[in-house]
């Protein structure tokens, strides 16, 4: 009954076992494939508990419009919960509101939507990401130096948020000079190309503020190929980058967008459907990788694809704690 | 009234060079390099230009097949996916006994050629429009990629790839040398063999070609197979240069290859053109991209600048001649 | 005669890339007069009418309409002044219907929209004039070449022209259709239309026209009434010397073994045909336009799927399944629609001549450039194709294009030639050369199948003529019985009582 | 045949239309089969709400396919469709809440589309540059403009306007029918019919007095208009603007048009084919969902369906011939 329902969108009229829908934006990239792995694993777990009987997955092939269409299909098929990585931070808002009105639990993770018509949003804080990364780099450079800023694709909220997060720290340190900024896909090859050109144009570079994905690996490969001395660089948990870090003894700092956000979203959806109260926003603390714990990550490297991401360990206990934290 | 050599086949004149699209594109590349070198210190350094050539080599290799296909009156929208499949696939077929990596590379090239053959099969025998056939093939390959993505790579690096990606022979990157050799072969096949002539025939008028005894179907198959092969080769090279392949690595090469072909003066309608123009076309593209990278402007402005530059250079390099 | 010309060119000249094509040419078109424009292939006839219709601008000289000199003539101005042109190369849109093609560029409108009812009415009227009875909604792409030519003529009539220019309108028409056209032109002449008529069929010109302007190498060499001029005189005007006979003397072939034989042959329109083709003979294929002549040639050539109860091809007991197989069996085909089927317009003359070689040579052997040039030069000389062989074929005049389409088969010396209207749009001199060539081929023991819309050609050149009608062979006429009347009668289905069955 | 009543004789329009369906029956059958399958898998489709929702997801693709088909009919092509859609969405989302209001916003979107399209057309045609690369360059410029206007997803559309177009109303379907009717109307104008002639045989058409260049430039302008209108609809559908929302439409529009039998060289194909092609692409997504295909199978099936739809006529032709 309605009274039991605590979380948003939940009407309490749905009974286990549930059908979960994962509205993926693009299932081809390795990060997505790893994320799908954590969802599938969690769903297996939940199936054993008799809570879930089916997981349906759609792939919008990178097209936010197709994603809307597929979410509509999920509504039509009356799934019990939708897990969503949004292809656009605004576009799915209306179709999500429709789903919410139908009592479907909506757990939005990784790429978030600018609407509150969802059961829960699960993510790390992109602003904090940019902020922490910038502070680490500024600290490393002693508040003075010339840097490059590597951003993800233009026009995407995540990359914009990370960059905005870095603003305050950069503004507070006038000694830091931004030589150039780039926007590329979160991939090695385009980053390597861009950084190579920038290295030629700027003979003196003291640090690189790289805001995600495989950008850092691309930057290091570019410097290495030119025989330039390595400079402090921020990054993410891409396996290739972590291996280069160790290999070239870099001064680095990395954080991550843990792939288990997916598994966590599946867990949260079921909790919400089961009538548990879940917070509207679950802020997942950013795990930090630095010289103190990098070996631990690299020790597990072989369990991850060569072009994949080494994420921190997780279990249902961690999920429970994250949900409990207010 | 027998024609003498000169009236039948007029002597080559220097003036005609200025109407040659390929040559004009070379001039434009040189111009852009010179201007950029003065405007942005470091841009014109030898190392940078060499690096640009190395990048152009990948586009250039993909564009060999694309040039062939376009001249033969088609288009290949699956090259990006083939590059990715090849770059991601090499480590997966690595055998323990294959220490040099040659086997893996050859196996992947064969697979890429096979994919191209399938494209050709659809276009030639099922009469599927090339755009549809190759687009569907690209979609299909995406499915394949989901299967093989994240497949644990035993060793992404093998000696052959390392050599391709890093070796310099008398200062010239191995990739550029590979490109040079393959280009020479491609040019020779295109302009000095009956097979090349058949491509021009097919693109200009397939019906008349068929009635003149050109085996349209077999030629079409061969053309797409070549495109698969060169895209596969580009995938291997890009894998060597990046040390590692990833899903999506080939995506940028689809539009780039088409743009290089058209910038180089090959008619998108088929039947005329040359790979000789595509080569500077590819170099031009990476040069503009690099130039835009070092310009300090917002993403929006950089995009506008990039588009405007292409348009401007297109104006310089000449116009589509009137057809039909 | 004090009539004022409707349109007149005075001293116009025009050159392409520095080559003068027309020099100081004057011509005046008077109402109620059929004016012939003659000249060899490439003399500049089509170029002249392009100037008259505003499609091209002259480099010098002036064009006057109703006595008023115009500064610049555009196609739409010319149309408004009542000038309509039937182009030599068809200018139709295949996806649009017959009616829409006829109205294109001059649609009747209502509220800014195409008025389909009026269009249908007026289009039907002009179609009736040219004897076109196809459904008006049929896409033009579905029509055979000859029918398309009639649409092109109907399109010109649709504009109710005061000046009608026809550039080789009969080159793909059979005698019967040409007759319809003749009657039509007579009617228009009576109504006071000025008509400019270009043709390489001189008997037609003699029959139809009142006045002639002759172009030679871009200059006017004669401008006079046709009264008192005979065909030989006309040729003399054109080529500047005494003509010989157009057709070579026919000699009966000795001992002609059959080289191709089919029984129960079906293909496209064709149903169950029996046919023997013999070495050393020219087998003519006649009939009204579109009775299956083309399907017969293409079917034999392996270009259309065909079936036969029995087939023997140069020693093989089956139909060639593909063009390459047909080529290997020694067949060659020269299509009628040279632009679509015969030539690669954007490629050079020499390249086009080499194409069959490229088709069967081993693909990755290096080409022998010098050899190719030498061969191209020889072929060009043999067919008197003048000038630079590196020019694109599309820059050639229609007749010269036809020569290129024929020339490309000569190097492989095929024993069986399938020719579909090979002299379409070819000037008399070249025709004569082609005829001599064909007879010589026959004498050498080749088999030649010649489908033609030019009945005299069939009568004087062929050993036998198969007249086609509705997908079958209506009558096989042996040489001694050949006459234009016999062919036309068989084509129309008016089989003479003493049938040769 | 001449004894038929003259009124009957003068019927030309519909017979012409029927002729244009001929080569498309195969595609129509495939599309109908998929729609039927969809309705079978999801019976809710056969309600006003079901149809409305489906039409909303189909409309943008249908509009861009029309935009692409118009160009391809004239022998052109555009790689800037996706960027233009994004620009339309961005302009809508930034103007409609402002002083211009909804009508002003619609006008701004429409004029920018017409203007940008016409400009591309003038550059490609008057300067005789290859359309494919002109529009590729234009796509970067237009995408840049969209990013300047809205550097990240945002902006807003008045709620009532969104509800009107993309709520539980069949507005999308009505708009689509309206677009098709307007296209028919355009094709019934002399300029519209000139498209075919200008595409297939520009020289002949020019000599026949067809305003070839005008027809082509008009095609580019209309194509731009349709693209930005698709963007406007997406903005309404999503309630906001996104500067990269249209990216996927470039290739999809080409795929739909070619699938619908529109030729690459100009003058070949029909708009109804392009629309049917877009319907197939769109309905396929839903059918695969309801069949429960995992992503790998979605990709493989999509490739096979597209190939199959095009190859079917050829295969059946061979089959018939073989018998
Ligand atoms: N667009 C062009 N570019 C270059 N040369 C041209 C062009 N058009 C015609 N010519 C040349 O002008 C000359 C005259 O051509 P035109 O078509 O007027 O000949 P014609 O008298 O009509 O011949 P035919 O009887 O074969 O039709 C030819 O030599 C031809 O090669
Ligand atoms: N009167 C109508 N009412 C509803 N839908 C229509 C109507 N007329 C056409 N349509 C639909 O609009 C679409 C496009 O129209 P149509 O098939 O007539 O294209 P078209 O533009 O005429 O094609 P062409 O390019 O040959 O003229 C088709 O899917 C058709 O079903
Ligand atoms: Mg002529
Ligand atoms: Mg002629």
């Amino acid at each position: 009954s309605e009274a039991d329902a605590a979380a948003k969108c939940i009407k309490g009229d749905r009974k286990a076992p549930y059908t979960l829908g994962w509205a993926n934006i693009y299932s081809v990239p390795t990060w997505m494939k790893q994320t799908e792995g954590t969802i599938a694993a969690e769903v297996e777990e939940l199936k054993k508990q008799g809570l879930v009987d089916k997981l349906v997955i759609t792939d919008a092939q990178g097209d936010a419009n197709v994603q809307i269409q597929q979410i509509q299909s999920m509504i039509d098929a009356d799934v019990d919960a939708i897990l969503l990585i949004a292809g656009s931070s605004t576009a799915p808002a209306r179709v999500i509101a429709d789903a919410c009105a139908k009592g479907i639990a909506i757990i939005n993770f990784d790429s978030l939507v600018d609407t509150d018509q969802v059961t829960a949003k699960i993510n790390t804080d992109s602003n904090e990401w940019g902020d922490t990364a910038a502070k680490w780099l500024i600290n490393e450079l002693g508040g003075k130096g010339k840097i490059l800023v590597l951003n993800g694709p233009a026009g995407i909220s995540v990359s914009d948020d990370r960059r905005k997060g870095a603003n305050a720290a950069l503004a507070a340190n006038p000694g830091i000079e931004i030589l150039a900024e780039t926007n590329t896909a979160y991939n090695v090859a385009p980053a390597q190309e861009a950084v190579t050109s920038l290295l030629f144009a700027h003979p003196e570079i003291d640090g690189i503020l790289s805001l995600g994905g495989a950008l850092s690996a691309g930057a290091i490969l570019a410097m290495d190929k030119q025989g330039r001395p390595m400079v402090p660089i921020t990054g993410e948990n891409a396996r290739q980058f972590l291996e280069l870090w160790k290999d070239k003894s870099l001064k680095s700092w990395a954080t991550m967008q843990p792939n288990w956000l997916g598994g966590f979203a599946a867990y949260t959806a079921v909790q919400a459907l089961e009538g548990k109260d879940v917070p509207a926003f679950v802020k997942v603390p950013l795990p930090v990788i630095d010289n103190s714990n990098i070996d631990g990550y690299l020790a597990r490297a072989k369990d991850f694809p060569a072009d994949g991401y080494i994420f921190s360990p997780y279990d249902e206990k961690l999920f429970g704690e994250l949900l409990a934290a207010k | 009234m027998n024609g003498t050599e000169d009236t039948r086949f007029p002597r080559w004149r220097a003036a005609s060079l200025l109407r040659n699209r390929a040559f004009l594109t070379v001039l434009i590349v040189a111009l852009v390099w010179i201007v950029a070198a003065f405007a942005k210190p470091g841009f014109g350094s030898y190392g940078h230009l060499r690096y640009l050539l190395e990048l152009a080599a990948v586009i250039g290799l993909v564009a060999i097949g694309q040039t062939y296909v376009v001249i033969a009156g088609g288009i290949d929208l699956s090259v990006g996916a083939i590059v990715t499949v090849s770059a991601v696939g090499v480590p997966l077929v690595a055998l323990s006994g294959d220490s040099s990596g040659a086997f893996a590379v050859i196996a992947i090239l064969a697979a890429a050629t096979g994919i191209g053959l399938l494209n050709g099969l659809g276009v030639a025998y099922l009469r599927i429009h090339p755009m549809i056939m190759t687009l569907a093939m690209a979609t299909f390959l995406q499915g394949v990629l989901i299967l093989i993505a994240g497949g644990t790579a035993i060793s992404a690096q093998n000696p052959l790839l390392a050599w391709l990606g890093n070796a310099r022979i008398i200062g010239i990157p191995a990739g550029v040398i590979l490109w040079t050799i393959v280009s020479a072969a491609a040019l020779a096949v295109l302009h000095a063999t009956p097979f090349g002539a058949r491509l021009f025939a097919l693109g200009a008028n397939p019906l008349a070609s068929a009635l003149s005894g050109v085996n349209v179907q077999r030629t079409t198959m061969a053309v797409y197979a070549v495109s698969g092969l060169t895209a596969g080769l580009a995938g291997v090279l890009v894998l060597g240069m990046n040390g590692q392949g990833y899903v999506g690595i080939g995506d940028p090469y689809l539009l780039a290859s088409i743009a290089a072909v058209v910038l180089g003066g090959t008619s998108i309608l088929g039947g005329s053109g040359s790979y000789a123009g595509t080569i500077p076309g590819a170099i031009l593209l990476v040069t503009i991209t690099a130039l835009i990278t070092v310009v300090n402007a917002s993403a929006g402005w950089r995009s506008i600048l990039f588009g405007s530059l292409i348009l401007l250079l297109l104006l310089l390099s000449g116009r589509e001649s009137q057809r039909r | 005669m004090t009539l004022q010309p409707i349109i007149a060119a005075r001293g116009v000249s025009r050159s392409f890339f520095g080559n003068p094509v027309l020099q100081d040419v004057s011509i005046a078109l008077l109402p109620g007069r059929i004016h012939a424009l003659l000249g060899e292939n490439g003399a500049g006839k089509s170029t002249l009418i392009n100037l008259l219709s505003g499609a091209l601008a002259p480099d010098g000289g002036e064009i006057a309409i109703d006595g008023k000199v115009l500064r610049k003539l555009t196609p739409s101005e010319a149309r408004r002044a009542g000038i309509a042109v039937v182009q030599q190369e068809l200018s139709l849109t295949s996806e649009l219907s017959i009616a829409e093609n006829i109205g294109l560029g001059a649609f009747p409108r209502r509220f800014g929209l195409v008025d389909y009812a009026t269009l249908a009415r007026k289009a039907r009227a002009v179609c009736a004039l040219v004897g076109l009875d196809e459904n008006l909604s049929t896409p033009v792409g579905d029509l055979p070449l000859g029918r398309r030519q009639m649409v092109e003529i109907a399109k010109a009539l649709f504009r109710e022209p005061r000046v009608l220019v026809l550039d080789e309108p009969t080159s793909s028409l059979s005698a019967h259709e040409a007759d319809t056209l003749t009657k039509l032109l007579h009617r228009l002449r009576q109504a006071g239309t000025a008509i400019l008529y270009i043709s390489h069929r001189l008997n037609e010109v003699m029959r139809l026209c009142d006045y002639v302007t002759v172009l030679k190498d871009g200059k006017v060499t004669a401008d006079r009434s046709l009264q008192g001029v005979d065909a030989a005189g006309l040729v003399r005007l054109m080529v500047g010397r005494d003509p010989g006979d157009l057709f070579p003397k026919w000699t009966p072939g000795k001992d002609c073994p059959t080289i191709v034989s089919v029984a129960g042959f079906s293909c496209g329109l064709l149903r169950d045909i029996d046919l023997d083709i013999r070495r050393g003979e020219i087998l003519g294929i006649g009939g009204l336009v579109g009775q299956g002549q083309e399907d017969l040639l293409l079917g034999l050539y392996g270009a259309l799927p065909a079936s036969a109860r029995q087939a023997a091809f140069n020693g093989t007991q089956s139909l060639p399944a593909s063009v390459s197989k047909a080529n290997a069996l020694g067949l060659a085909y020269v299509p009628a629609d040279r632009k679509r089927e015969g030539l690669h317009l954007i490629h050079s003359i020499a390249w086009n001549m080499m194409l069959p070689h490229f088709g069967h040579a081993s693909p990755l052997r290096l080409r022998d450039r010098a050899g190719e040039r030498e061969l191209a030069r020889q072929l060009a000389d043999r067919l008197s194709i003048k000038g630079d062989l590196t020019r694109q074929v599309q820059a050639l005049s229609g007749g010269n294009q036809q020569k290129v389409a024929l020339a490309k088969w000569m190097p492989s010396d095929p024993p069986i030639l399938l020719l579909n209207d090979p002299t379409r749009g070819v000037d008399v001199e070249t025709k004569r050369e082609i005829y001599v060539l064909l007879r010589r081929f026959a004498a050498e023991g080749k088999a030649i199948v010649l489908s033609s819309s030019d009945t005299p050609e069939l009568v004087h050149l062929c050993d036998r003529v198969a007249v086609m009608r509705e997908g079958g062979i209506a009558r096989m006429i042996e040489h001694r019985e050949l006459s234009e009347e016999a062919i036309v009668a068989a084509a129309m289905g008016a089989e003479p009582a003493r049938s040769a069955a | 045949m001449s004894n038929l009543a003259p009124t009957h004789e003068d019927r030309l329009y519909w017979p012409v239309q029927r002729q244009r369906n001929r080569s498309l029956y195969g595609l129509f059958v495939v599309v109908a089969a998929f729609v039927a399958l969809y309705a079978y898998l999801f019976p809710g489709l056969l309600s006003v709400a079901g149809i409305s929702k489906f039409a909303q997801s189909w409309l943008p693709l249908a509009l861009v396919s029309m935009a692409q088909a118009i160009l391809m009919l004239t022998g052109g092509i555009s790689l800037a469709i996706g960027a233009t859609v994004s620009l339309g969405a961005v302009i809508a989302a930034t103007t409609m809440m402002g002083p211009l209001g909804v009508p002003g916003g619609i006008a701004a979107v429409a004029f920018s589309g017409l203007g940008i399209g016409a400009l591309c057309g003038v550059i490609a045609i008057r300067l005789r540059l290859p359309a494919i690369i002109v529009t590729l360059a234009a796509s970067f410029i237009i995408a840049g403009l969209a990013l300047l206007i809205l550097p990240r997803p945002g902006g807003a559309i008045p709620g009532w306007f969104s509800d009107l177009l993309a709520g539980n109303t069949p507005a999308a379907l009505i708009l689509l029918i309206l677009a098709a009717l307007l296209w028919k109307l355009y094709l019934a104008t002399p300029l519209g019919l000139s498209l075919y002639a200008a595409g297939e045989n520009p020289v002949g058409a020019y000599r026949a007095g067809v305003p070839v260049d005008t027809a082509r430039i008009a095609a580019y302008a209309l194509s731009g208009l349709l693209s930005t209108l698709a963007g406007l609809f997406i903005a309404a559908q999503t309630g906001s603007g996104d500067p990269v929302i249209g990216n996927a439409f470039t290739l999809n529009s080409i795929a739909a048009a070619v699938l619908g039998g529109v030729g690459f060289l100009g003058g070949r194909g029909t708009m109804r084919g392009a629309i049917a092609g877009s319907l197939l692409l769109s309905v396929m997504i839903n059918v695969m969902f309801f069949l429960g295909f995992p992503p790998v199978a979605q990709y493989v099936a999509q490739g096979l369906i597209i190939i199959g739809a095009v190859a079917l006529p050829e295969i059946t032709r061979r089959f018939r011939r073989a018998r």
Side-chain angles (χ1 to χ4, degrees), chain C residues 45-46 88 167-168 397-398:
Chain C
K45 305 179 293 295
S46 297
Q88 175 176 16
D167 195 352
E168 296 188 44
S397 73

Side-chain angles (χ1 to χ4, degrees), chain C residues 320-332:
Chain C
S322 69
V323 171
S324 351
K325 296 229 172 70
N327 290 152
L329 286 175
L331 284 100

Side-chain angles (χ1 to χ4, degrees), chain B residues 5 8 191-192 198 211-212 271, chain C residues 301 347 361 367 369 381 389:
Chain B
E5 174 72 28
R8 288 311 203 186
H191 295 293
R198 284 179 210 169
L211 289 175
S212 301
Chain C
Y301 190 51
H347 292 316
R367 281 163 59 184
R369 294 274 179 173
D381 288 348
L389 296 181

Side-chain angles (χ1 to χ4, degrees), chain C residues 481-495:
Chain C
E481 292 176 15
L482 269 178
S483 69
E484 295 197 30
E485 293 72 28
I487 291 177
V488 171
M492 304 286 296
E495 197 80 3

Side-chain angles (χ1 to χ4, degrees), chain A:
Chain A
S1 73
E2 298 234 354
D4 301 338
K8 190 143 195 177
C9 308
I10 304 294
K11 294 213 173 83
D13 52 351
R14 295 173 185 272
K15 293 281 161 281
Y18 303 108
T19 299
L20 303 190
W22 181 28
N24 194 0
I25 179 64
Y26 193 23
S27 53
V28 175
T30 308
W31 192 89
M32 289 295 184
K33 172 131 174 167
Q34 288 182 275
T35 303
E36 191 178 313
T38 71
I39 294 179
E42 182 60 29
V43 164
E44 276 315 304
E45 196 60 36
L46 293 165
K47 273 185 183 167
K48 276 188 216 140
Q49 301 168 20
L51 290 169
V52 170
D53 70 341
K54 213 164 103 192
L55 171 69
V56 291
I57 304 174
T58 58
D59 175 359
Q61 310 189 2
D63 184 345
N65 297 293
V66 170
Q67 189 174 43
I68 294 172
Q69 189 175 351
Q70 289 170 332
I71 294 172
Q72 181 65 46
S73 284
M74 287 189 178
I75 298 174
D76 291 342
D78 201 30
V79 298
D80 298 306
I82 296 175
L83 317 179
L84 172 69
I85 292 183
S88 156
S89 59
T90 56
R94 283 174 58 89
V95 74
I96 286 175
D98 284 357
C100 186
K102 292 237 161 65
I104 298 173
I106 303 181
I107 315 294
N108 178 202
F109 66 102
D110 183 40
S111 289
L112 300 187
V113 191
D114 301 345
T115 173
D116 53 9
Q117 298 295 303
V118 297
T119 308
K121 293 182 186 175
I122 296 177
N123 206 4
T124 54
D125 184 336
S126 297
N127 274 291
E128 187 186 320
W129 172 313
D131 185 51
T132 331
K135 281 182 178 146
W136 177 85
L137 185 66
I138 291 165
N139 186 37
E140 199 67 27
L141 297 178
K144 201 168 161 313
K146 298 174 176 170
I147 64 167
L148 298 179
V149 182
L150 312 184
N151 294 298
I156 308 278
S157 303
V158 175
S159 69
D160 199 50
D161 286 340
R162 288 182 188 168
R163 179 64 187 84
K164 284 216 178 88
N167 266 343
L170 290 172
N173 287 279
I176 297 288
E177 184 194 343
I178 299 178
L179 291 172
E181 294 207 33
T182 65
N183 291 84
T184 59
Y186 287 120
N187 278 332
V188 181
Q192 187 182 347
E193 286 173 28
V195 172
T196 302
S197 289
L198 289 175
L199 289 177
F200 277 109
H202 302 287
E204 276 172 53
I205 291 175
D206 302 315
I208 296 178
L209 181 61
S210 157
L211 295 173
L215 303 179
S216 318
I220 292 167
L221 287 177
M223 290 192 290
D224 187 44
K225 254 201 161 165
Q226 285 189 29
R228 299 269 289 247
M230 294 296 155
V231 297
I233 183 169
T234 60
E236 204 178 343
N237 61 333
R239 178 175 157 185
Q240 192 182 6
F241 170 58
L242 297 188
E243 284 171 348
L244 282 168
W245 177 346
K246 194 69 195 163
D247 212 34
K248 313 263 177 226
S249 319
L250 301 179
K251 283 200 196 99
S252 270
W253 168 98
T255 179
M256 75 180 66
Q257 183 74 338
N259 295 79
W260 48 258
L261 290 182
F264 184 30
Y267 177 82
T268 308
V270 172
Q271 295 299 310
L273 286 167
E274 285 290 288
K276 304 261 167 51
D277 189 12
V278 296
F281 184 79
V282 184
K283 187 173 138 184
V284 175
L286 283 165
V288 168
I289 307 176
D290 55 24
N291 279 327
S292 71
N293 61 0
I294 180 156
D295 291 334
Y297 279 91
L298 285 174
R300 295 186 294 127
K302 61 178 188 323
D303 299 338
F304 297 86
D307 60 339
Y309 295 78
I310 306 178
F311 48 82
S312 58
Y314 70 96
D315 52 19
E316 282 201 0
K317 188 165 143 280
L318 173 65
F319 294 168
E321 283 165 18
L322 286 168
L323 282 185
K326 287 274 157 134

